[in-house]
Amino acid sequence: MTLLKVEDLKVHFPIRGGFFRTVVDHVRAVDGVSFELEEGETYGLVGESGSGKSTTGKAIVKLNKVTSGKILFEGQDIANYSSRQIKPYRRDIQMIFQDPYSSLNPKKRVLDIIAEPLRNFERHSPGEEKKIIQDYLDKVGLSPDSIYKYPHEFSGGQRQRIGIARSLTLKPKLIIADEPVSALDVSVQAQVLNFLQDLQEEFKLTYLFVGHDLGVIRHMCDRMGVMYRGRLVEEGTSKEIYNNPQHIYTKRLIAAIPDLEPSVREEKAIARQKVSEEYEQSYSKYFDEKGRAYDLKPISTTHRVALP
Amino acid sequence: MGMNVETVTTAPPKEISPSGMKVIWREIRKDRMAMISLVVLGIVLIAVYSAALFIDKDAVARVDVFSIYMDPSSAYWLGTDYGGRDVFKQLIIGTRNSFSISLGITVLTALIGLSAGLIAGYFGGWTDNIIMRVIDFVITLPQMMFIIVLVTIIPKFTVTTFILIMTLFLWTGKARLIRSKVLSERELDYVHASQTLGTPHWKIILYHILPNVSSLIIVNFTLNLAGNIGLETALTFLGFGLPESTPSLGTLIAYATNPEVLEYRWWIWLPASVMILILMLSINFIGQALKRAGDARQRRG
Ligand SMILES: Nc1ncnc2c1ncn2[C@@H]1O[C@H](COP(=O)(O)OP(=O)(O)OP(=O)(O)O)[C@@H](O)[C@H]1O
Ligand SMILES: [Mg+2]
């Protein structure tokens, strides 16, 4: 069943300038993106910095105003809902933020941080509430005694777990994870990622997983979309994208993944060189005269590529 | 006793972290000048406010032609002025008035500035635009001229009217200061998180953003408190503040415009001047300590 369907989503930010601070142009952060999430799957959005991945995720949780397009959650178009209309959907769609340092209020105790969504939607006595919070803390692998501590008393990885616990308390259906591990140490990354996968099974979660690290995305996601300058240039299962990239940008992204094995390093460097040359030469073939990617065209039942 | 423990552990969680207050207290204790200032200020204020309760305000303001310009004596500790009024009692009432005015202005400007700044900064867009245009308008008004005109046309000029007039002009600076801090604060992910968690805007503003700008507010509040004492005194000294019927530190110092008083009757104006110095310095020292408490890199404690 389709849980989330994004149709031709556009998010444009006005650029103001001149004497009267009038709108002189727009940043087309997201410029016509469409994709679907099946219930229980993990969908990845990859792309370089500034390609509009976060903006797409934030538009779905209504942190960014949608310029045009549809966001269908369980068939309901929530793109233009007012903050009152969206309130019931807040329970179902949650977000894990990129930066575990700024996403927790430094003046709040862990108890108050994790209980915030609960207090907005449910009524519990302080005792019950404490018990629920401690359960979730236990689930994310933190000591139940930490409820009276402040965020600065935790490491980055632990903070991210607090953020994850907070997003779980309302038992959401969809979690948008905006580079949940990019601020973490490599040794902690795998731990948090595996843990997110365990939670997915336990809570039947659907993830929209945003990241710029193709390795992480491949590890996590069933399907993924590659974003470039606010547009999807290729979409398919992780295997398709990884083994059979069609768009020149995807190819370059994959060629850029560093390889740790010394034996293939040489080989890789040559391949990278080749892709780089191809990119220069055939750039105009893949983008229209304004440098905008074409609309996606299916090349198999699951694989779509932006070709003219 | 058992009941007591029970209520403590299940008390509703405090919204503002106690650690902030602890940091401030530790910083003041570490700073000897701030600690002395706190004690001095406390003693002066308690003494002045309680003594003022026992002084008949009308009697102090009443002219007594039989005791003009008396030297200090056991009856008049600091002598009398040209109207035969007791200077010491004027000093007590005056200090109370001056401090109350400063406190009143500071509290009111803080409330207005805080509300305007929080709302403008948090909501942005056209809300911000309207509030900022109002602020720009107030700032472009010729303040001094307005104050002088208002002082002249308002027949019964009192402490309250003075506070209100000054507040009218002084809230803008605070509003701008708070707004700029809130503008950067609302871009932080903890605010975004609260929004996606379904927390209403007013709760985000009051319980999430406000505690995070509180150190800025406290520092600004103390420094303004000192500044406003000086402002009141200066305006009154120039003749655009309180009338003599409402004694203040400014009216007492204004007696020094008479060269005869300035030279031969220092006991009329000097104590008031020293009082201003004590108040402003001690509040400033406390303010400096608070400022350091608000900035982790400068802390001593
Ligand atoms: N509030 C905003 N106002 C104006 N421009 C914005 C705003 N938010 C994002 N942008 C612009 O939109 C573009 C996409 O930003 P976005 O944060 O979605 O990138 P991203 O793909 O998440 O990058 P990263 O990997 O660095 O997080 C950028 O060019 C950015 O400057
Ligand atoms: Mg991002």
Side-chain angles (χ1 to χ4, degrees):
Chain A
M1 207 187 90
T2 307
L3 184 70
L4 177 79
K5 187 170 175 182
V6 174
E7 272 179 35
D8 200 25
L9 179 72
K10 289 185 184 166
V11 181
H12 295 178
F13 296 108
I15 304 172
R16 289 175 187 279
F19 188 67
F20 293 105
R21 314 255 319 123
T22 43
V23 179
V24 290
D25 201 1
H26 287 92
V27 182
R28 293 174 171 73
V30 179
D31 199 20
V33 163
S34 309
F35 58 89
E36 276 181 38
L37 265 73
E38 294 297 312
E39 219 175 301
E41 83 167 332
T42 304
Y43 186 95
L45 273 183
V46 263
E48 63 188 23
S49 191
S51 54
K53 309 174 301 276
S54 297
T55 309
T56 308
K58 284 182 176 167
I60 295 167
V61 290
K62 306 275 295 173
L63 282 176
N64 281 330
K65 221 167 145 352
V66 173
T67 308
S68 74
K70 286 182 180 166
I71 296 168
L72 298 157
F73 184 79
E74 295 183 322
Q76 279 288 326
D77 184 7
I78 59 170
N80 296 309
Y81 272 17
S82 67
S83 55
R84 184 163 319 143
Q85 284 172 305
I86 199 73
K87 180 125 195 226
Y89 292 90
R90 294 271 185 227
R91 298 193 70 139
D92 295 333
I93 311 176
Q94 280 297 316
M95 182 144 181
I96 300 171
F97 290 87
Q98 180 166 357
D99 179 6
Y101 294 91
S102 76
S103 61
L104 306 179
N105 189 339
K107 299 259 175 185
K108 299 270 176 193
R109 297 174 304 181
V110 170
L111 172 72
D112 299 322
I113 289 173
I114 302 181
E116 187 180 340
L118 275 181
R119 290 177 190 162
N120 287 335
F121 288 96
E122 292 164 20
R123 288 266 159 268
H124 295 288
S125 71
E128 268 169 25
E129 186 182 88
K130 200 170 129 193
K131 209 181 152 312
I132 298 173
I133 305 301
Q134 283 176 333
D135 276 353
Y136 277 103
L137 274 179
D138 189 44
K139 236 167 226 139
V140 298
L142 291 174
S143 146
D145 313 329
S146 356
I147 52 170
Y148 294 121
K149 288 191 185 165
Y150 287 89
H152 69 260
E153 297 170 57
F154 296 90
S155 70
Q158 288 172 324
R159 285 177 191 222
Q160 198 59 306
R161 285 157 185 268
I162 296 171
I164 293 170
R166 171 174 66 184
S167 67
L168 288 174
T169 48
L170 291 175
K171 304 203 170 60
K173 294 173 182 160
L174 172 65
I175 289 189
I176 294 164
D178 186 0
E179 312 206 28
V181 295
S182 68
L184 304 180
D185 213 291
V186 184
S187 57
V188 192
Q189 283 192 2
Q191 203 186 342
V192 173
L193 289 175
N194 291 334
F195 164 68
L196 282 171
Q197 284 181 322
D198 294 343
L199 288 176
Q200 179 166 37
E201 258 172 56
E202 186 177 343
F203 292 94
K204 303 273 171 293
L205 295 169
T206 308
Y207 285 134
L208 176 62
F209 203 96
V210 173
H212 59 258
D213 186 337
L214 256 176
V216 169
I217 295 281
R218 186 170 70 139
H219 173 75
M220 286 296 289
C221 302
D222 310 305
R223 293 191 307 130
M224 66 169 98
V226 181
M227 269 189 98
Y228 179 67
R229 293 200 190 160
R231 298 196 39 97
L232 278 178
V233 295
E234 189 158 358
E235 186 198 62
T237 62
S238 295
K239 209 174 274 153
E240 281 165 342
I241 300 282
Y242 214 74
N243 298 335
N244 184 24
Q246 291 298 311
H247 198 277
I248 183 66
Y249 179 71
T250 319
K251 284 184 196 168
R252 210 172 77 143
L253 211 57
I254 288 167
I257 299 173
D259 216 306
L260 294 178
E261 224 155 298
S263 56
V264 292
R265 219 177 263 166
E266 190 109 329
E267 213 175 297
K268 264 280 207 194
I270 296 167
R272 197 172 300 150
Q273 188 71 31
K274 240 175 65 194
V275 170
S276 190
E277 271 163 28
E278 191 188 348
Y279 187 80
E280 310 267 279
Q281 284 161 9
S282 54
Y283 184 84
S284 54
K285 212 180 99 197
Y286 288 94
F287 299 97
D288 67 11
E289 57 281 4
K290 283 189 224 126
R292 196 169 182 259
Y294 294 102
D295 289 336
L296 292 177
K297 304 232 164 24
I299 60 166
S300 81
T301 50
T302 51
H303 199 168
R304 297 191 298 158
V305 187
L307 291 172
Chain B
M1 199 53 213
M3 272 304 286
N4 247 337
V5 172
E6 190 66 22
T7 47
V8 166
T9 46
T10 57
K14 275 221 191 75
E15 291 293 352
I16 297 170
S17 108
S19 71
M21 289 320 278
K22 253 188 235 153
V23 166
I24 288 174
W25 177 232
R26 199 168 53 210
E27 195 57 42
I28 289 181
R29 260 195 340 209
K30 271 271 145 56
D31 183 341
R32 186 174 306 145
M33 281 315 283
M35 197 63 205
I36 294 173
S37 300
L38 194 65
V39 172
V40 169
L41 189 67
I43 292 172
V44 168
L45 289 182
I46 290 171
V48 163
Y49 274 78
S50 46
L53 291 177
F54 301 105
I55 294 175
D56 179 0
K57 220 180 122 244
D58 294 330
V60 172
R62 201 173 301 130
V63 174
D64 179 1
V65 284
F66 296 111
S67 46
I68 290 171
Y69 280 146
M70 305 251 270
D71 288 350
S73 64
S74 57
Y76 305 108
W77 292 4
L78 289 174
T80 58
D81 67 3
Y82 74 90
R85 291 166 289 206
D86 189 330
V87 172
F88 181 73
K89 286 180 181 165
Q90 284 191 58
L91 181 67
I92 299 287
I93 304 245
T95 308
R96 189 199 62 179
N97 282 347
S98 288
F99 189 81
S100 303
I101 286 173
S102 176
L103 190 68
I105 296 173
T106 313
V107 168
L108 273 185
T109 51
L111 283 179
I112 300 173
L114 201 55
S115 322
L118 281 170
I119 290 171
Y122 180 79
F123 290 104
W126 60 266
T127 320
D128 183 33
N129 240 322
I130 291 175
I131 293 176
M132 287 314 283
R133 290 299 84 76
V134 172
I135 289 175
D136 288 346
F137 173 73
V138 174
I139 286 175
T140 52
L141 291 177
Q143 295 194 13
M144 269 304 160
M145 207 186 83
F146 262 80
I147 291 170
I148 293 167
V149 169
L150 286 171
V151 168
T152 346
I153 60 171
I154 293 177
K156 268 192 63 106
F157 204 69
T158 61
V159 170
T160 324
T161 29
F162 191 87
I163 292 176
L164 292 180
I165 290 173
M166 295 316 293
T167 304
L168 197 64
F169 294 104
L170 294 178
W171 63 274
T172 51
K174 281 218 179 87
R176 276 157 58 131
L177 180 78
I178 303 292
R179 169 185 172 267
S180 63
K181 180 83 168 95
V182 174
L183 272 180
S184 63
E185 204 69 19
R186 71 145 190 210
E187 290 305 325
L188 293 179
D189 276 341
Y190 78 83
V191 176
H192 292 151
S194 286
Q195 287 166 351
T196 61
L197 296 169
T199 310
H201 293 310
W202 67 269
K203 269 194 184 171
I204 297 180
I205 293 176
L206 285 184
Y207 299 139
H208 292 265
I209 294 184
L210 188 58
N212 280 294
V213 299
S214 61
S215 63
L216 181 75
I217 298 166
I218 293 170
V219 171
N220 186 258
F221 190 94
T222 29
L223 297 181
N224 267 341
L225 192 61
N228 287 339
I229 292 179
L231 186 70
E232 183 276 329
T233 328
L235 274 173
T236 307
F237 180 81
L238 294 173
F240 304 122
L242 295 166
E244 274 169 22
S245 57
T246 311
S248 78
L249 294 175
T251 59
L252 282 171
I253 294 175
Y255 286 137
T257 45
N258 179 345
E260 145 76 36
V261 173
L262 179 67
E263 208 164 332
Y264 302 112
R265 301 183 195 284
W266 53 266
W267 52 82
I268 295 182
W269 57 270
L270 192 62
S273 312
V274 172
M275 184 62 87
I276 290 176
L277 205 65
I278 291 174
L279 288 180
M280 286 181 65
L281 275 182
S282 55
I283 295 173
N284 254 318
F285 280 128
I286 297 170
Q288 300 300 344
L290 294 182
K291 204 170 180 173
R292 280 197 310 276
D295 182 352
R297 278 165 307 176
Q298 294 185 21
R299 269 179 216 158
R300 295 180 185 174

